[in-house]
């Protein structure tokens, strides 16, 4: 019996631990960005450790009928979210933020993004002729590929690290900011995918095979640009946390996070997978999301913007500034408690810089 | 396919420049029929400049049907009576048409020029400067006008004027005096800086939008400039080394006049149209400097300060880090003749000559040059290898050296004493045959061989004969139905039919990719079994001479007709030009890529002999290149090449002028004396490398300090 148990346990631990722990560690470490440290809680899912703990329990706990159990004091109710791992906090934040946003479409080729029950962006896709004209820019920007290829490839999977280069968000004492930015970025993906679906437009390669993108063309709509949405949302939230001011001020001041966001967006045109108009609409969407997140955390009004499908020329800082200035204010509403909690913690990351 | 040459004839040569003739015949890559339709062409007259006519003639003759003024007479050319008169030579052949991107051309220029007799801007647009101004001209591509290195402490620009030659004509109505492109003056640059900065001149500049508004970057036009959108911009680092300074530093600050040349798609991968734009650029810088001088002087006289203002204009030093690999290489080329002519005209007005500074080029190791010595009746071969998958044409020029012409025969009457046969890869032998002046033969659509005679300028009547072989791209995507040339060995057989020995030299023309940074650039080369690329046993690329070495230093080219000696930039060889070679600052080693002069005795006016002096192209063995401004404000890049040495040389001259340590117009003696003095101190553990490689000596200029010191180091 004993021998049989040992044999079974050995086979289980060896085979399972080898496959599972290896896969788990690789997948977990690679998938959970943001320096998610391994700790005891994570290790519980290791079959090897599970087995070891079982053996330890069996060795020392003895027989303990409930009536003989030694009662511990009532565990304290945790304050804030510090009791959660970074990964769980980000999951929770994603859920909290995404619950405040919805996307619907009332007309073909258009979408409305709502935040906290208020419209924050109405977006209409451009017509095909506009994209055809914008191919000139795609061709022109393609000449920068040798210069930008490294950035393009790196930004295909990670743009937060570039923001860490223009602002010290990777420092341990700014971890709440980092988690918040990561959560906002994740929510942006969800929102942008819905907008893309309602506003589907063909990619540059659909117009001309000579575009020959240097990264694989994604399967979703070219319009609006997801990279632009994410980058400008991150820039907006970061700038707001650092200065207390909205995106329009940051864009007017051409602050570093917004310069970086524009560079990330333009790199997608250089790569051959986006038109400038995609970046423009994505930038407006990103700023709107970022400002709305701040509004939902701070009890300020969610502003309303419109991208009506009309656009010409290149995606410039001046265009975005004017588009943001054209936005209209809305009603203030009560902050979302959990979001407010983390927002205040993130603001505290920036200490005296926060007004 | 059988590749057969047609016979020599004059009818297939339709325009004065053989390169331009080939260009239009082939509709080169980057100039596909669709693209050709998107551009308007304008007419230049090479004849007007090459014959030595005043520049006003050249300007005037740039447009269709413009009558040349009376000054274009032989009397007006009397100060250079021995310059070739190509009008007589080429007769009815039409002048080359130089493409200008649509929207950049000024169709009204001719009528404006005829009406006003000059191309001056409104005087009010010109800046007013002090009597001690020294003008630094920079002719390049991608000069960042908003870069801090060209600005004062208060953020205002140090650029007096900047001509973007193929920028869209934003102010077309006002700038009717400009033949093409857009020009910005100091006050306009300052206005743009304010417009695109936050908090005034010294504020944070939104560079992308400033560059777009200034016509420096255009992402939508097929021929628009893009260099400043990347990390490196040739013109920015060059201009930085020529005249850049940290705002607020105490370095001497020349006034800058910049010209942004067209991009490579307009001047062509082989620089076919470079000379035309470059001559305009040089002339524009000189004229603007004079106009600024005259305006400033007039104002000073009005204030009673005339005693500080000599009548000779400002000293002008122009760096042009450009050039071409093939040419007569004796200073008789189109560009050199134009510079010579311009300075003669300035001298006749009592103005200081313009000093050009040009690199020797980076083609020392490219097997782009060969020399043959043919005895009477002897024959020899040059093997010209064209690469596969080459999107651009390939060219090789084959020149005789000077041939006496005691009877002063007209070119058309001269029997060229050099027979030639070009055997294409898989071609059939047809026999050697001498060409005649202004005749051509061809393998239609595949290759064309031109023959012409260039009278030598100078006292003795003599001439040089040239064969130019043009071969089509070996791969074409733009016109799939068009024939391509086979890649491989083109054998050029030459037979000397003169009464004596004949020296023949061959140069492969410059060949860059049409698209910047593209990996598709392929260069043809000349091969010979005796050419040694590498040194044994070190494996190092073999330069023209060993280094370090002790005298007598051996010529490593000896024994092979393919040579490094002679690879020197064909555009840098006017006697009025400083040709600048490069070396490594840490140990004095000449840059192996830095081109070499011929290395044998030539007429002192013949620029083929050697570089003028050398300046650094590399810092050390572990740091290739020298530092300078990157495309974006505040960024620094390391680049290497004789372009940078040339820029350093221009800086050295400008700083010498500002400090008063050298005086215009005799800049050459100051420069060469400094180089010789440096060599006399034996700064490196080697004897001085021979003159054909480094010129009169190496001047070790340090990198410019990027940031002014805020406090003394501890």
């Amino acid at each position: 019996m004993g021998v049989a148990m040992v044999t079974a346990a050995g086979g289980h631990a060896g085979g399972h631990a080898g496959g599972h722990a290896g896969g788990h560690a690789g997948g977990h470490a690679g998938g959970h960005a943001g320096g998610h440290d391994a700790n005891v809680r994570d290790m519980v899912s290791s079959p090897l450790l599970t087995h070891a703990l079982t053996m330890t329990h069996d060795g020392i706990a003895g027989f303990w009928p409930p009536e003989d159990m030694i009662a511990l004091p009532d565990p304290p109710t945790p304050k804030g979210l510090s009791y959660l791992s970074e990964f769980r906090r980000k999951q929770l934040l994603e859920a909290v933020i995404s619950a405040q946003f919805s996307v619907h479409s009332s007309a073909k080729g258009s979408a409305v993004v709502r935040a906290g029950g208020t419209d924050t962006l109405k977006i209409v896709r451009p017509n095909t002729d506009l994209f055809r004209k914008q191919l000139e820019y795609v061709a022109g920007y393609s000449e920068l590929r040798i210069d930008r290829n490294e950035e393009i490839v790196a930004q295909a999977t990670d743009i937060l690290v570039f923001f860490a280069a223009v602002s010290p968000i990777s420092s341990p004492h700014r971890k709440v900011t980092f988690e918040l930015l990561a959560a906002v970025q994740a929510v942006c993906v969800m929102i942008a995918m819905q907008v893309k679906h309602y506003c589907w437009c063909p990619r540059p390669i659909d117009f001309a095979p000579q575009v020959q993108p240097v990264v694989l063309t994604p399967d979703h709509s070219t319009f609006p640009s997801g990279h632009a949405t994410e980058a400008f949302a991150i820039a907006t939230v970061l700038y707001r946390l650092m200065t207390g001011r909205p995106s329009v001020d940051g864009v007017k001041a051409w602050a570093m996070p917004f310069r970086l966001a524009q560079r990330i967006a333009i790199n997608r045109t250089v790569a051959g997978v986006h038109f400038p108009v995609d970046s423009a609409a994505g930038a407006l969407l990103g700023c709107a999301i970022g400002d709305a997140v701040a509004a939902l955390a701070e009890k300020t009004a969610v502003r309303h913007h419109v991208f009506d499908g009309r656009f010409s020329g290149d995606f410039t800082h001046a265009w975005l500034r004017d588009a943001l200035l054209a936005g209209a204010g809305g009603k203030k509403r009560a902050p979302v408690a959990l979001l407010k909690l983390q927002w205040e913690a993130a603001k505290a990351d920036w200490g005296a810089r926060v007004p | 396919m059988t590749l057969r040459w047609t016979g020599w004839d004059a009818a297939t040569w339709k325009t004065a420049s053989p390169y331009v003739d080939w260009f239009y015949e082939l509709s080169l890559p980057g100039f596909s029929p669709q693209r050709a339709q998107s551009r308007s062409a304008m007419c230049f007259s090479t004849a007007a400049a090459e014959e030595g006519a005043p520049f006003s003639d050249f300007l005037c003759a740039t447009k269709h049907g413009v009558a040349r003024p009376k000054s274009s007479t032989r009397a007006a050319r009397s100060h250079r009576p021995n310059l070739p008169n190509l009008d007589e030579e080429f007769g009815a052949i039409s002048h080359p048409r130089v493409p200008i991107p649509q929207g950049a051309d000024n169709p009204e220029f001719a009528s404006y020029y005829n009406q006003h007799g000059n191309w001056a801007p409104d005087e009010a647009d010109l800046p007013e400067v002090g009597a001690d101004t020294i003008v630094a001209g920079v002719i390049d591509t991608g000069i960042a006008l908003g870069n801090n290195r060209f600005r004062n402490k208060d953020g205002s620009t140090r650029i007096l004027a900047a001509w973007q030659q193929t920028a869209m004509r934003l102010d077309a109505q006002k700038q009717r005096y400009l033949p093409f492109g857009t020009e910005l003056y100091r006050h306009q640059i300052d206005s743009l800086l304010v417009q695109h900065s936050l908090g005034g001149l010294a504020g944070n500049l939104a560079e992308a939008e400033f560059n777009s508004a200034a016509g420096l970057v255009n992402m939508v036009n097929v021929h628009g400039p893009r260099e400043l959108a990347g990390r490196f911009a040739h013109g920015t680092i060059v201009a930085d080394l020529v005249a850049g300074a940290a705002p607020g530093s105490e370095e001497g600050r020349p006034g800058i006049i910049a010209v942004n040349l067209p991009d490579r798609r307009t001047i062509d991968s082989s620089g076919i149209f470079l000379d035309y734009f470059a001559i305009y650029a040089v002339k524009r810088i000189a004229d603007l400097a004079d106009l600024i001088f005259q305006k400033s002087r007039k104002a000073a006289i009005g204030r009673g300060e005339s005693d500080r203002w000599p009548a000779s204009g400002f000293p002008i030093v122009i760096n042009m880090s450009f050039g071409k690999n093939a040419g007569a290489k004796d200073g008789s080329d189109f560009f050199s003749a134009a510079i010579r002519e311009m300075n003669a005209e300035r001298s006749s007005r009592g103005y200081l000559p313009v000093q050009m500074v040009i690199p020797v080029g980076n083609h020392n190791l490219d097997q782009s040059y060969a020399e043959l010595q043919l005895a009477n009746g002897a024959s020899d071969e040059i093997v010209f290898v064209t690469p596969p998958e080459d999107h651009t044409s390939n060219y090789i020029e084959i020149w005789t050296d000077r041939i006496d012409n005691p009877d002063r025969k007209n070119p058309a009457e001269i029997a060229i004493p050099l027979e030639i046969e070009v055997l294409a890869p898989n071609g059939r032998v047809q026999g050697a045959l001498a060409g005649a002046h202004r005749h051509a033969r061809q393998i239609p659509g595949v290759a064309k061989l031109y023959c012409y005679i260039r009278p030598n300028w100078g006292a003795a009547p003599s001439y040089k004969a040239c064969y130019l072989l043009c071969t089509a791209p070996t791969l074409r995507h733009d016109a799939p139905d068009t024939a391509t040339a086979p890649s491989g060995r083109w054998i050029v057989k030459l037979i000397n039919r003169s009464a004596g020995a004949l020296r023949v030299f061959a140069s492969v023309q410059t060949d860059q990719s049409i698209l910047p940074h593209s990996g598709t650039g392929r260069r043809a080369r000349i091969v010979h079994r005796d050419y040694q690329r590498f040194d044994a046993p070190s494996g190092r690329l073999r330069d023209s001479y060993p280094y370090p070495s002790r005298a007598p230093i051996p010529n490593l080219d000896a024994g092979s007709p393919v040579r490094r000696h002679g690879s020197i930039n064909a555009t840098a060889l006017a006697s009025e030009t400083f040709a600048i070679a490069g070396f490594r600052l840490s140990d004095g080693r000449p840059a192996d890529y830095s081109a070499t002069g011929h290395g044998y005795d030539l007429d002192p006016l013949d620029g083929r002999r050697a570089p003028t002096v050398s300046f650094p192209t590399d810092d050390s063995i572990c740091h290739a290149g020298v530092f300078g401004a990157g495309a974006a404000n505040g960024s620094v890049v390391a680049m290497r090449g004789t372009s940078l040495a040339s820029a350093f040389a221009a800086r050295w001259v400008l700083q010498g002028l500002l400090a008063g340590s050298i005086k215009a117009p005799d800049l050459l003696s100051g420069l060469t004396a400094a180089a010789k003095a440096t060599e006399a101190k034996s700064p490196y553990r080697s004897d001085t490398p021979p003159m054909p490689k480094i010129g009169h000596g190496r001047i070790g200029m340090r990198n410019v300090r990027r940031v002014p010191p805020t406090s003394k180091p501890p």
Side-chain angles (χ1 to χ4, degrees), chain A residues 136 143 148 252-253 259 317, chain B residues 198 204 209 220 229 265:
Chain A
E136 290 179 324
E143 290 177 21
R148 303 283 179 91
K252 273 159 64 181
R259 294 192 207 187
H317 146 246
Chain B
L198 298 155
N204 198 351
E209 288 167 30
V220 69
R265 279 161 295 207

Side-chain angles (χ1 to χ4, degrees), chain A residues 133 136-141 143-144 146-148 251-255 259 262-263 314 316-319 321, chain B residues 198 204-209 218-222 224 226-227 229-232 263 265 515-519:
Chain A
K133 284 177 189 161
E136 290 179 324
Y137 286 100
V138 178
Y141 275 107
E143 290 177 21
L144 304 183
I146 295 295
D147 202 59
R148 303 283 179 91
V251 172
K252 273 159 64 181
W254 209 216
R259 294 192 207 187
Q262 189 194 31
R263 173 107 174 172
D314 205 353
T316 64
H317 146 246
W319 179 90
R321 178 196 61 207
Chain B
L198 298 155
N204 198 351
L205 178 66
E207 275 184 288
E209 288 167 30
N218 185 326
M219 278 298 174
V220 69
N221 189 287
V222 172
R226 321 254 200 268
E227 212 170 334
R231 174 159 169 72
F232 295 83
D263 79 337
R265 279 161 295 207
L515 291 175
H517 311 302
S518 170

Side-chain angles (χ1 to χ4, degrees), chain B residues 555-572:
Chain B
N555 175 356
L556 298 181
D557 267 348
S560 169
V562 180
R563 296 179 186 180
R564 299 155 188 88
H565 287 76
S567 57
I568 194 165
N569 179 359
T571 308

Side-chain angles (χ1 to χ4, degrees), chain A residues 122-141:
Chain A
K122 181 182 181 189
I123 186 166
V124 180
R125 71 180 173 200
N127 61 39
T128 307
D129 282 347
L130 192 148
F131 288 115
R132 198 165 278 123
K133 284 177 189 161
Q134 293 243 301
L135 271 178
E136 290 179 324
Y137 286 100
V138 178
Y141 275 107

Side-chain angles (χ1 to χ4, degrees), chain B residues 62-92:
Chain B
T62 56
K63 302 304 293 185
H64 306 276
V66 178
R68 298 197 14 218
K70 289 179 182 174
S71 61
S72 175
T73 61
R74 286 203 169 275
R77 297 180 230 126
S78 59
H79 44 273
R80 302 301 292 185
N82 293 316
L83 286 171
N85 184 339
L86 295 189
D87 255 6
E88 290 174 3
E89 290 170 45
F90 285 97

Side-chain angles (χ1 to χ4, degrees), chain A:
Chain A
M1 177 78 177
V3 172
M5 279 184 68
V6 168
T7 303
H12 173 79
H16 204 71
H20 189 75
H24 172 80
H28 199 68
H32 298 165
H36 178 42
D37 297 333
N39 56 35
V40 173
R41 286 185 295 276
D42 299 317
M43 289 167 67
V44 169
S45 56
S46 154
L48 172 64
L49 184 63
T50 304
H51 180 68
L53 290 171
T54 303
M55 298 301 282
T56 306
H57 169 268
D58 291 352
I60 65 172
F63 176 72
W64 52 286
E67 56 270 26
D68 294 343
M69 197 170 64
I70 300 168
L72 291 172
D74 286 344
T77 305
K79 289 182 179 175
L81 302 180
S82 59
Y83 71 99
L84 292 172
S85 70
E86 292 171 13
F87 173 64
R88 294 285 174 235
R89 273 199 302 273
K90 177 172 165 288
Q91 275 188 328
L92 182 62
L93 267 177
E94 276 177 38
V96 168
I97 297 170
S98 64
Q100 296 300 316
F101 285 87
S102 64
V103 182
H104 68 271
S105 176
S106 55
K108 193 175 179 185
S110 73
V112 174
V113 180
R114 290 174 69 82
T118 305
D119 288 357
T120 187
L121 178 69
K122 181 182 181 189
I123 186 166
V124 180
R125 71 180 173 200
N127 61 39
T128 307
D129 282 347
L130 192 148
F131 288 115
R132 198 165 278 123
K133 284 177 189 161
Q134 293 243 301
L135 271 178
E136 290 179 324
Y137 286 100
V138 178
Y141 275 107
S142 71
E143 290 177 21
L144 304 183
R145 285 176 181 175
I146 295 295
D147 202 59
R148 303 283 179 91
N149 276 344
E150 291 86 348
E151 288 176 54
I152 289 166
V153 172
Q155 288 162 0
T157 53
D158 190 356
I159 62 175
L160 261 179
V161 70
F162 285 83
F163 283 92
V166 299
S167 180
I169 53 174
S170 58
S171 301
H173 67 287
R174 302 236 163 78
K175 66 177 185 181
V176 185
T177 298
F178 194 92
E179 290 163 20
L180 184 58
L181 295 177
V184 168
Q185 183 184 2
V187 172
C188 282
V189 175
M190 300 177 207
I191 297 170
M193 282 302 155
Q194 295 176 76
V195 176
K196 279 170 177 272
H197 175 72
Y198 292 128
C199 299
W200 185 89
C201 297
R203 293 272 181 176
I205 195 175
D206 292 316
F207 290 90
Q210 289 88 345
V211 171
Q212 251 184 301
V214 293
V215 291
L216 284 181
T217 297
D219 52 2
H220 42 81
S221 167
T222 194
F223 177 87
S225 160
H227 269 69
T229 306
E230 295 166 41
F232 276 92
I234 291 169
T236 299
V237 171
L238 180 59
Y239 183 75
R240 181 72 162 243
L241 290 171
M242 292 169 71
T243 67
R245 298 206 295 270
S247 64
V248 66
D249 287 359
V251 172
K252 273 159 64 181
W254 209 216
M256 284 298 282
F258 293 95
R259 294 192 207 187
L260 173 60
Q262 189 194 31
R263 173 107 174 172
I264 290 168
I266 287 175
N267 281 345
R268 301 293 285 176
T269 302
V270 176
V273 294
H274 272 298
F275 300 95
V277 65
D278 305 338
S279 298
L284 189 59
L285 173 59
C287 289
I289 293 171
D291 284 331
V293 168
L296 295 170
E298 291 189 324
K299 198 184 174 184
T300 53
V302 173
R303 289 179 67 79
H304 177 61
H305 302 278
V306 175
F307 185 92
D308 63 5
R310 287 178 296 179
F311 185 81
S312 63
D314 205 353
F315 165 49
T316 64
H317 146 246
W319 179 90
L320 182 59
R321 178 196 61 207
D322 295 344
L324 288 169
L325 284 170
K331 285 183 182 175
K332 291 181 183 177
R333 49 152 294 164
V336 177
L338 273 178
L339 177 58
K340 181 174 186 292
L341 183 73
Q342 284 311 91
W343 184 269
E344 293 300 328
K347 274 168 73 175
D349 281 353
W350 299 89
R353 288 207 219 177
V354 181

Side-chain angles (χ1 to χ4, degrees), chain B residues 421-636:
Chain B
E421 177 180 19
V422 177
L423 200 59
N426 304 318
R428 75 172 55 166
V429 175
Q430 291 179 252
L433 202 61
H437 176 59
R438 229 181 60 198
H439 281 57
R441 63 189 310 194
Q442 60 184 328
I443 303 170
V446 171
K448 197 164 180 178
L449 184 63
Y450 296 86
C451 175
Y452 55 99
I453 280 172
R454 172 76 60 83
N456 279 310
W457 55 275
S462 63
Y463 67 91
K464 289 189 179 81
C466 180
Y467 290 109
L468 167 64
L469 172 64
C470 309
T471 67
T474 57
L475 179 69
R476 293 187 70 169
H477 293 306
D478 61 319
D481 296 334
T482 310
T484 54
S487 62
R489 296 160 67 90
W490 293 73
I491 297 171
V492 182
K493 185 177 180 183
L494 300 162
I495 306 171
N496 175 12
R497 296 298 184 197
S498 73
L502 192 59
R503 197 195 296 262
V504 175
F505 55 99
S507 290
V508 178
Q509 189 55 284
T510 304
D511 190 1
Q512 299 177 305
S513 61
I514 285 285
L515 291 175
H517 311 302
S518 170
T520 59
R522 306 263 190 278
R523 288 179 60 87
R525 66 191 197 282
I526 310 170
V527 298
H528 192 276
R529 62 181 176 277
D530 293 331
Y531 180 82
Q532 293 184 44
R533 287 185 65 202
F534 301 101
D535 260 338
S538 72
R540 181 192 293 275
L541 282 167
R542 197 172 214 202
D543 199 350
S544 313
Y545 302 94
Y547 189 91
S549 187
R550 296 293 175 197
I553 298 174
N555 175 356
L556 298 181
D557 267 348
S560 169
V562 180
R563 296 179 186 180
R564 299 155 188 88
H565 287 76
S567 57
I568 194 165
N569 179 359
T571 308
L573 304 179
S575 52
E576 292 81 358
T577 300
F578 294 162
I580 309 300
F583 74 99
R584 191 160 66 200
L585 190 60
S586 61
D587 62 356
R589 177 185 284 275
D592 55 13
Y593 52 79
S594 179
T596 314
H598 273 241
Y600 54 80
D601 288 341
L602 291 165
D603 186 317
L605 287 174
D606 195 320
R608 285 180 292 171
R609 288 185 306 162
T612 311
V613 294
S614 294
F615 275 84
T617 50
D618 297 273
D619 277 350
S620 69
I621 196 165
C622 50
H623 180 238
V626 295
F627 284 127
N633 213 352
S635 70
V636 175

